Amino acid sequence: PNRVLLGCFLLHYAHRALIFPLLIREGKPTPFFTFVLALLFCVFNGYLQGRSLTTYATYPAGWLGDSRFITGFLGWLIGMAINIHSDHILRNLRKPGETGYKIPRGGMFEYVSGANFFGEILEWFGFALACCTTESLAFALCTLFILGSRARQHHK
């Protein structure tokens, strides 16, 4: 279970750090202070999750078949799929050279204005349920507060 869960965490960040940046066509520059805060959060959180799953978290035999793991893993998987699909919709909102505000349509954007944020929040709450650790729950709550406030700003 520890390897599967660590793999989920690493898969998300491999996508976010390696694939996602290569897909972005144009974007607004990120303020340096925001970049530094995000970097520090990711380093600290990566250490907590990695240390928890490699050293402290122990799971009973059959954990991969436990309903908490299965439900959490499915939440993580569905959340990641929503996040990736929503990012795709956002990347393709405007034609090259086009500017101005556009409302995203399709996918989860038909139900929630911040579908990309919703997907990531679902992803990390699913991960927390699959892990059942204090560290993963703390991460899910941080994600909710940080991305929830960004989603609210975007909605307005």
Side-chain angles (χ1 to χ4, degrees):
N2 300 64
R3 289 182 185 159
V4 171
L5 293 165
L6 193 56
C8 290
F9 186 83
L10 292 173
L11 182 62
H12 169 88
Y13 279 101
H15 176 266
R16 184 59 71 204
L18 303 174
I19 298 168
F20 177 78
L22 296 174
L23 297 174
I24 296 174
R25 290 186 288 185
E26 294 178 25
K28 298 175 189 171
T30 302
F32 184 71
F33 185 68
T34 303
F35 167 76
V36 170
L37 287 178
L39 179 66
L40 290 173
F41 175 82
C42 288
V43 167
F44 181 68
N45 182 56
Y47 172 78
L48 284 178
Q49 302 308 318
R51 183 74 173 186
S52 171
L53 290 170
T54 59
T55 306
Y56 300 111
T58 56
Y59 297 97
W63 181 252
L64 296 178
D66 188 280
S67 61
R68 291 169 290 184
F69 175 82
I70 293 169
T71 304
F73 179 78
L74 288 174
W76 174 85
L77 189 63
I78 292 167
M80 186 163 180
I82 290 169
N83 192 354
I84 290 170
H85 183 252
S86 299
D87 285 342
H88 172 75
I89 290 171
L90 290 171
R91 273 194 311 276
N92 293 295
L93 268 180
R94 294 176 198 83
K95 294 178 178 126
E98 190 177 28
T99 60
Y101 182 77
K102 292 221 173 179
I103 297 174
R105 299 282 182 214
M108 284 300 294
F109 284 108
E110 297 300 319
Y111 305 100
V112 61
S113 61
N116 51 329
F117 301 125
F118 170 77
E120 193 153 346
I121 291 167
L122 175 61
E123 186 178 350
W124 295 120
F125 272 94
F127 181 77
L129 180 59
C131 288
C132 287
T133 63
T134 303
E135 294 84 0
S136 61
L137 178 59
F139 179 33
L141 290 171
C142 283
T143 302
L144 175 64
F145 295 135
I146 293 167
L147 295 185
S149 68
R150 288 185 63 201
R152 187 169 181 234
Q153 286 176 322
H154 283 245
H155 181 77
K156 286 181 178 182

